[in-house]
Amino acid sequence: MKIETQLRSADLKDIFRATGTRARGRRGILLTKKAKEPPNGTITPPAQSSKTTKSSSRYSIGMFSAGEARCDRWQEMAHAAQTLVAQSSSGASTKETLATVEALLGPLSVIETFHAYPGELMMSALKDALGRRDYSSFSRITNRIAKAIITGSYRRSVNAWKLGEEGEMEGNDRLLKDYFDTGDLTKPYFEVLIVSDDPTTEQVRQGRVELRQLRRPEDPFVYEAVTVPSFEEGVLSVVMNADLQAVVIKDNFRFKSQFDAPLLRTYLEQHLSQECGSLEPKDYGVALARAIGKIRPELDVYLIVDGAVEKVASHLDSKNIRRIFYGIEDLMEIHLALLEGVNQRYDTPYFNNLKNYARRPIGTFHALPVARGKSVFNSHWIRDFGHFYGANIFLAESSATTGGLDSLLEPTGNIKVAQDKGARAFGCQKLFFGTNGTSTSNKIAVQAIVRPGDIVLVDRNCHKSHHYGLVLCGGQPLYVEAYPLTEYSMYGAVPLRTIKKALLDLKAEGRLDRVRMLLLTNCTFDGHVYNVQRFMEEVLAIKPDIVFLWDEAWYAYSRFSQFHRMRSAMGACDALRERYASEAYRAEYAEFKKEHGKIDPKNPKLLDTHLLPDPDAVKLRVYATTSTHKSLSCFRQGSYIMVNDDCWESTEATFKEAFFTHTSTSPNLQLIASLDVARRQAELEGYELVGRSIELSLILRREVNRHPLISKYFSIATNAQMVPAQYRTSGFEDFHAEGVSWKTIYDAWASDEFVLDPTRITLLCGSAGFDGTAFKGLLASKFDIQLNKTSRNSVLLQTNINNTRSDIAYLIKVLADMSRELERKLSMDPDEKAAFDARVKSLVTDVPDLPNFSRFHDAFRENPHSKTNEGDMRTPFFLAYDAENCTHVKLNSKEIDDLVKSGQAVSAKFVIPYPPGFPIMVPGQVITQETIEFMRKLDVKEIHGYHAASGLELIKPGLRVLLREVHL
Ligand SMILES: Cc1ncc(COP(=O)(O)O)c(C=O)c1O
């Protein structure tokens, strides 16, 4: 309960901060019965009570998900209203409670102007009841609204829209009731934002009624409209109201908000300066559409223009404007366009077809007995299999590609359409469904681009699928090292300087033409997110045609958070494409060239200079692979391959070959359907759900790190702990640090070399005496809490669109219980305490150094004298297929020490311990003492490529020398 209260008051404040609303005298909002609102329905909020302003931190919870903070505020208001009823009936003083209500109602009045529900009438009734001191009506209405908002029942139940049991409907409008009474309650509900010049309250109400009158039984959805009068409130609504699916922008509206919104203004000035710098009122519409596209690109925008509509239409350069109308000449057309726009996102062509297919009677004469389920449901022995999964999974199975099911390998029908929809939704040129996980998508992408002998700059710490992919296609990895986080036994990300140095060295040796690809993981398992735009820009300055493969296995949701999108492969590619096409960039580049001339690889200053690519030479070739199943509602192994490639036409054929190479000819149909559905959900509610998952992670971070007892034993690694200071020019340390605001975080995300994705929560458990593996086991066995990654002294928790506040509360309770228990045990028994301290020291202080990649043996290097470390992994990998070429040496033997000393220990295998999960040896790598020591200290059970009983598998020294001679 205490936790809940803490969460609420902090969130509430931040919603204020997000809106940036100005405080005013307290009198105003406790409206007396006839209290008038300021002109244009302006409601200025009251000063916050000390209760809501006292929190010591000023961080930005509420920024990622205004919805959570809104729910909390209404919940708190419902509690206060109940207290008022009790106090007034018992004759107790209501003074303090009224102050709380006042402090809550002010900001809520502002927030609700951005939402269609509860609407003007309910809010007025609420304030009226309060003004009359009719606390029971006030409490009843508050409760109704709070419940409806928290449960989302206003989307499906007429009761939510009533003032009382028999009460008036919003706007006294029977149409709303008719819809809910007679309509299909399962119809999805959404809200439409109308931006229009200063309408009166009556005009707004009338507009809503008119739109409701257009409803037809055959409409697939139902919507309500919310109207705001300015550019700034348009932007705010889009940020705050996750129910919005479309925006109608009418000509002639003002720029400034009726509210004092300093944060919003900074945001507009900083990030929309191009659009807003020297805007004339006639351009507000298109500028607003563009601004909305940057925040929520999935929303449909419609322009209603009073003047020369044809002229405006021919100059539109905002991708998200679906249609332009001349005045409100045909309201029904607008209504239909709104529905159709949402329907395009709702439509899941493959899933729909599969459902239709499952309904039809079909005789199957192909291989797949489970298709249609007869072998299951008619069985005497496996009927429970059928009952467990239900009939549909069998009815929706087929091994045919006919009957509207299309073929994943050669899609021409609904899979193609589904993929095209995916491309639009995720902001890429092409999107492909992968049905064998990102493990396979990575191999497809690598093989599509890389030829034997090509050099690929690759994070040694990347997923093993890339290393295997390079073996298969014969690419030569040039391993670049991520910065180590030795104290947590994990790696961070690869610094830009390291990558630039490798490329400049190659350029100096005249071998830049051999480089094909840069392959990095964004974000990493542990949450390190690259400044993708900056990295690509500087790399392109050295090698303008390099291909980027960003492994975004953990980042499928990034498109639906404005923060994450700017640091995603596709988001950054879009931004760069726009930048390089602009005149402003040409001028910037001309200046750069004047100052630095041609890129001279011998000039060490270039490592510290922000390099700019030639806009005429640059080719944007960006690929991203995402494990859809890891963060969206998709079955396991579902993966998207995203492409944004200026040279796609010449790559398509090889991509297809690679796709054929790795994709099963019997792809799972349910998987394809879920890839289609995951896209639908992401487009329609990704903004809300992703925002909430980020918000939850912030709540968890704060509660653990601030809790006096929990934080004694456990802590969650902050941004500063995961990203060393030299990569944080903004100085940003922690979401919950003093003075941190929405802007602080935005600036850090816009500028820093790396940031930490808050949803990747490294919970440090070493100080509680647990190593990661043991703690993971304990959480699973005793508390039914599951997670997957661990390190020597930490476990990795993640929040995603599946998590709820209850999940967070449960975890916090478990940590609090454990901490209490530890406290009790350690205070009782000094021996136990001494053993505990020793264990903590070993876990937290005596950590092994992380071994860097040493080098490939000269036998597997084209030029052993080259400054760069690329090598041929494929030859040693296949050499090891023949047992005669290999020898096994025990890890704890003198023999291995001797071989290492003489430089003759060369790995025949990938050796990948879990955790940490990256290869500490690759085929052809010279093994160093550092690596041996690391392995000796490893206390994990699972080490792929190594069996303790037989020892390390090495390439026989004699054979190696032989090969070297052949090579050289
Ligand atoms: C960075 C990275 N890439 C790729 C993968 C493989 O993804 P999938 O499980 O979808 O095959 C993983 C799996 O953990 C990963 O961490």
Side-chain angles (χ1 to χ4, degrees):
M1 193 62 208
K2 192 169 161 241
I3 287 166
E4 285 298 306
T5 314
Q6 286 171 355
L7 300 186
R8 269 199 307 273
S9 59
D11 291 352
L12 305 181
K13 179 169 55 60
D14 285 307
I15 237 324
F16 245 133
R17 291 171 54 69
T19 59
T21 44
R22 184 183 51 208
R24 69 165 194 167
R26 338 178 62 179
R27 278 288 76 213
I29 205 74
L30 278 179
L31 301 170
T32 51
K33 196 167 161 192
K34 294 271 185 309
K36 275 220 174 87
E37 287 169 2
N40 311 331
T42 306
I43 302 166
T44 5
Q48 294 175 47
S49 74
S50 57
K51 186 166 175 250
T52 52
T53 52
K54 222 187 301 181
S55 163
S56 59
S57 86
R58 299 182 65 76
Y59 57 88
S60 58
I61 283 191
M63 159 188 67
F64 290 104
S65 168
E68 288 297 296
R70 180 185 178 214
C71 287
D72 287 342
R73 191 171 275 265
W74 274 109
Q75 180 80 64
E76 201 163 320
M77 180 100 123
H79 288 155
Q82 268 169 358
T83 310
L84 268 187
V85 173
Q87 286 170 335
S88 68
S89 63
S90 69
S93 165
T94 54
K95 195 170 162 217
E96 235 183 71
T97 317
L98 278 173
T100 305
V101 165
E102 183 186 341
L104 291 166
L105 189 54
L108 272 178
S109 301
V110 178
I111 291 166
E112 296 313 335
T113 61
F114 306 123
H115 297 83
Y117 181 85
E120 193 41 46
L121 186 85
M122 272 194 163
M123 287 304 288
S124 303
L126 185 85
K127 289 174 205 164
D128 245 27
L130 187 62
R132 286 196 314 271
R133 302 192 186 278
D134 174 358
Y135 298 139
S136 66
S137 294
F138 176 70
S139 175
R140 179 174 44 75
I141 302 170
T142 305
N143 245 323
R144 176 150 302 195
I145 297 175
K147 246 194 222 150
I149 289 177
I150 291 163
T151 63
S153 66
Y154 63 94
R155 292 160 173 260
R156 47 186 187 271
S157 161
V158 69
N159 287 336
W161 295 79
K162 285 183 189 169
L163 284 176
E165 287 316 317
E166 298 306 320
E168 217 182 352
M169 299 292 299
E170 152 75 8
N172 212 5
D173 178 10
R174 298 296 308 173
L175 283 166
L176 187 68
K177 180 162 167 49
D178 288 347
Y179 164 71
F180 281 115
D181 283 354
T182 58
D184 174 0
L185 294 193
T186 60
K187 276 186 190 181
Y189 166 94
F190 64 90
E191 295 185 0
V192 174
L193 177 70
I194 299 175
V195 185
S196 172
D197 184 33
D198 279 354
T200 63
T201 310
E202 191 41 44
Q203 281 168 333
V204 169
R205 199 171 290 171
Q206 190 53 33
R208 280 170 82 155
V209 169
E210 278 177 30
L211 281 172
R212 279 183 206 141
Q213 281 168 338
L214 300 172
R215 286 178 185 162
R216 305 159 312 150
E218 62 268 36
D219 288 348
F221 317 110
V222 63
Y223 64 86
E224 279 289 317
V226 55
T227 305
V228 295
S230 70
F231 189 107
E232 289 183 345
E233 278 149 300
V235 171
L236 259 185
S237 306
V238 165
V239 172
M240 309 273 284
N241 183 348
D243 286 338
L244 289 182
Q245 295 296 350
V247 183
V248 178
I249 301 175
K250 288 188 184 174
D251 237 357
N252 298 325
F253 51 89
R254 60 192 152 84
F255 193 87
K256 292 267 189 248
S257 156
Q258 59 188 306
F259 307 117
D260 179 15
L263 265 182
L264 172 67
R265 203 147 290 128
T266 324
Y267 168 84
L268 289 168
E269 278 161 16
Q270 262 195 327
H271 304 293
L272 306 173
S273 53
Q274 245 179 318
E275 286 81 6
C276 307
S278 54
L279 273 187
E280 287 184 38
K282 70 175 174 44
D283 301 323
Y284 286 172
V286 175
L288 179 57
R290 285 171 66 81
I292 290 169
K294 292 207 162 149
I295 302 165
R296 291 174 63 184
E298 70 279 10
L299 295 187
D300 297 323
V301 179
Y302 301 89
L303 278 190
I304 298 183
V305 179
D306 282 332
V309 64
E310 305 78 7
K311 221 176 188 153
V312 178
S314 65
H315 286 94
L316 281 187
D317 67 342
S318 187
K319 279 190 272 184
N320 58 340
I321 298 179
R322 275 194 98 236
R323 274 192 68 174
I324 174 162
F325 293 97
Y326 179 58
I328 306 200
E329 57 185 1
D330 191 346
L331 206 54
M332 183 48 108
E333 279 298 308
I334 296 177
H335 172 72
L336 295 177
L338 287 169
L339 294 176
E340 179 49 24
V342 175
N343 202 34
Q344 287 214 351
R345 280 177 273 154
Y346 185 81
D347 181 38
T348 37
Y350 188 81
F351 177 52
N352 297 354
N353 243 309
L354 199 60
K355 284 192 290 183
N356 288 338
Y357 173 85
R359 281 187 208 115
R360 287 164 43 204
I362 288 171
T364 59
F365 290 93
H366 53 60
L368 191 69
V370 297
R372 319 303 295 174
K374 283 174 274 190
S375 76
V376 176
F377 290 103
N378 294 340
S379 160
H380 300 298
W381 295 98
I382 62 165
R383 270 204 296 265
D384 62 325
F385 175 50
H387 291 141
F388 181 73
Y389 287 107
N392 276 339
I393 201 165
F394 302 102
L395 291 170
E397 265 305 342
S398 171
S399 76
T401 53
T402 49
L405 290 179
D406 207 1
S407 157
L408 181 66
L409 290 161
E410 202 66 74
T412 52
N414 50 62
I415 294 185
K416 182 176 180 319
V417 182
Q419 292 186 152
D420 289 348
K421 277 174 179 281
R424 189 207 53 213
F426 288 89
C428 44
Q429 230 172 23
K430 294 273 165 196
L431 179 144
F432 297 91
F433 289 171
T435 55
N436 302 74
T438 297
S439 304
T440 296
S441 297
N442 285 339
K443 288 180 203 133
I444 292 173
V446 167
Q447 183 183 316
I449 304 294
V450 179
R451 297 158 217 211
D454 282 351
I455 295 174
V456 175
L457 275 73
V458 51
D459 177 0
R460 199 264 313 226
N461 191 26
C462 69
H463 189 255
K464 63 182 184 176
S465 51
H466 298 292
H467 304 276
Y468 282 108
L470 288 170
V471 166
L472 294 179
C473 71
Q476 299 210 353
L478 191 167
Y479 285 118
V480 279
E481 292 289 349
Y483 62 79
L485 290 165
T486 311
E487 64 263 56
Y488 313 126
S489 287
M490 63 175 77
Y491 279 95
V494 183
L496 179 55
R497 222 169 181 279
T498 307
I499 295 167
K500 282 166 68 176
K501 168 107 178 52
L503 285 169
L504 290 171
D505 284 348
L506 284 161
K507 189 173 166 71
E509 289 178 11
R511 294 190 304 126
L512 202 52
D513 60 320
R514 295 281 305 280
V515 176
R516 181 77 59 186
M517 179 185 263
L518 170 63
L519 199 168
L520 297 168
T521 307
N522 184 58
C523 71
T524 67
F525 209 154
D526 301 297
H528 303 93
V529 188
Y530 283 80
N531 187 336
V532 180
Q533 199 173 320
R534 174 81 183 265
F535 270 63
M536 294 208 288
E537 175 146 303
E538 294 216 36
V539 166
L540 285 167
I542 304 172
K543 170 91 179 144
D545 60 349
I546 196 167
V547 182
F548 297 93
L549 173 53
W550 293 96
D551 180 337
E552 296 192 334
W554 296 104
Y555 217 41
Y557 57 91
S558 57
R559 172 97 179 150
F560 301 94
S561 148
Q562 199 190 351
F563 284 75
H564 294 70
R565 186 168 57 246
M566 68 176 160
R567 283 182 173 249
S568 69
M570 294 304 136
C573 181
D574 249 6
L576 287 181
R577 193 159 271 141
E578 197 176 317
R579 175 167 155 81
Y580 299 149
S582 71
E583 285 308 316
Y585 179 75
R586 285 191 172 273
E588 196 182 335
Y589 177 69
E591 273 303 306
F592 169 82
K593 210 163 161 210
K594 206 155 76 187
E595 189 179 340
H596 299 282
K598 278 196 167 163
I599 301 262
D600 170 9
K602 301 241 164 65
N603 177 359
K605 279 197 191 141
L606 291 189
L607 289 177
D608 300 310
T609 306
H610 183 149
L611 305 178
L612 296 181
D614 178 349
D616 291 323
V618 76
K619 297 260 179 289
L620 279 163
R621 309 197 61 192
V622 186
Y623 291 71
T625 49
T626 65
S627 290
T628 319
H629 68 101
K630 288 195 202 298
S631 58
L632 299 176
S633 298
C634 175
F635 289 133
R636 207 160 150 81
Q637 291 193 15
S639 172
Y640 294 141
I641 305 173
M642 301 179 190
V643 181
N644 223 328
D645 185 352
D646 284 346
C647 304
W648 174 246
E649 277 176 13
S650 58
T651 314
E652 186 170 6
T654 53
F655 184 89
K656 229 171 161 180
E657 279 302 329
F659 198 83
F660 289 159
T661 308
H662 295 284
T663 302
S664 164
T665 46
S666 311
N668 184 312
L669 306 193
Q670 318 317 320
L671 240 164
I672 302 173
S674 74
L675 282 162
D676 198 11
V677 173
R679 187 270 311 150
R680 180 210 286 177
Q681 181 182 40
E683 273 194 299
L684 290 167
E685 53 186 350
Y687 179 75
E688 177 180 3
L689 299 181
V690 171
R692 193 180 66 195
S693 70
I694 300 170
E695 211 61 48
L696 292 181
S697 72
L698 293 179
I699 291 171
L700 181 61
R701 287 172 174 278
R702 182 189 58 202
E703 287 313 307
V704 169
N705 286 352
R706 292 256 178 99
H707 194 289
L709 184 58
I710 299 179
S711 62
K712 200 167 154 188
Y713 297 102
F714 300 96
S715 63
I716 292 176
T718 61
N719 189 70
Q721 281 170 294
M722 298 297 271
V723 180
Q726 70 261 39
Y727 308 120
R728 287 183 284 113
T729 46
S730 74
F732 173 57
E733 294 196 343
D734 185 17
F735 299 98
H736 302 138
E738 193 67 34
V740 165
S741 73
W742 175 89
K743 184 176 175 310
T744 322
I745 301 176
Y746 196 98
D747 289 348
W749 278 59
S751 64
D752 285 356
E753 187 159 341
F754 307 109
V755 294
L756 174 67
D757 177 352
T759 69
R760 316 296 39 232
I761 301 155
T762 293
L763 179 71
L764 302 167
C765 54
S767 307
F770 296 110
D771 67 74
T773 314
F775 191 57
K776 168 180 160 173
L778 180 69
L779 287 177
S781 61
K782 204 161 163 203
F783 302 102
D784 283 328
I785 292 176
Q786 292 183 353
L787 52 96
N788 41 22
K789 187 179 182 281
T790 61
S791 80
R792 180 179 177 84
N793 49 25
S794 74
V795 295
L796 180 74
L797 309 163
Q798 306 172 29
T799 52
N800 63 38
I801 63 169
N802 191 41
N803 287 112
T804 60
R805 293 282 280 269
S806 306
D807 296 340
I808 302 295
Y810 178 51
L811 183 64
I812 291 168
K813 179 178 180 314
V814 166
L815 295 177
D817 288 349
M818 277 186 187
S819 307
R820 266 189 292 273
E821 180 58 16
L822 271 171
E823 189 81 345
R824 191 189 61 76
K825 268 200 335 236
L826 298 177
S827 65
M828 280 168 54
D829 183 347
D831 290 343
E832 175 107 21
K833 173 86 169 71
F836 174 83
D837 289 345
R839 202 161 55 246
V840 169
K841 181 169 175 297
S842 138
L843 288 169
V844 176
T845 318
D846 304 338
V847 286
D849 278 339
L850 294 170
N852 275 348
F853 176 76
S854 50
R855 62 184 176 89
F856 283 107
H857 190 274
D858 286 354
F860 308 116
R861 304 249 298 140
E862 245 168 63
N863 177 4
H865 307 295
S866 163
K867 269 184 152 180
T868 55
N869 74 21
E870 74 280 3
D872 166 22
M873 227 166 26
R874 186 184 166 92
T875 307
F877 181 87
F878 285 108
L879 270 178
Y881 274 36
D882 192 343
E884 282 180 11
N885 295 332
C886 299
T887 178
H888 287 85
V889 185
K890 290 269 170 57
L891 182 62
N892 287 315
S893 64
K894 180 166 176 317
E895 191 184 352
I896 192 76
D897 289 335
D898 292 343
L899 281 171
V900 166
K901 256 187 221 129
S902 63
Q904 299 192 68
V906 177
S907 181
K909 280 262 164 18
F910 285 108
V911 177
I912 308 176
Y914 285 85
F918 62 85
I920 54 171
M921 296 174 201
V922 305
Q925 180 183 341
V926 176
I927 301 172
T928 57
Q929 199 61 38
E930 208 190 358
T931 308
I932 294 296
E933 289 311 322
F934 181 78
M935 273 201 84
R936 284 175 179 162
K937 281 193 190 169
L938 268 181
D939 46 7
V940 298
K941 289 196 196 84
E942 198 179 333
I943 304 179
H944 295 181
Y946 168 72
H947 299 285
S950 41
L952 289 166
E953 191 171 341
L954 307 180
I955 292 178
K956 270 191 189 152
L959 191 74
R960 175 174 44 79
V961 170
L962 201 87
L963 264 175
R964 183 172 177 219
E965 281 168 5
V966 172
H967 256 82
L968 299 177

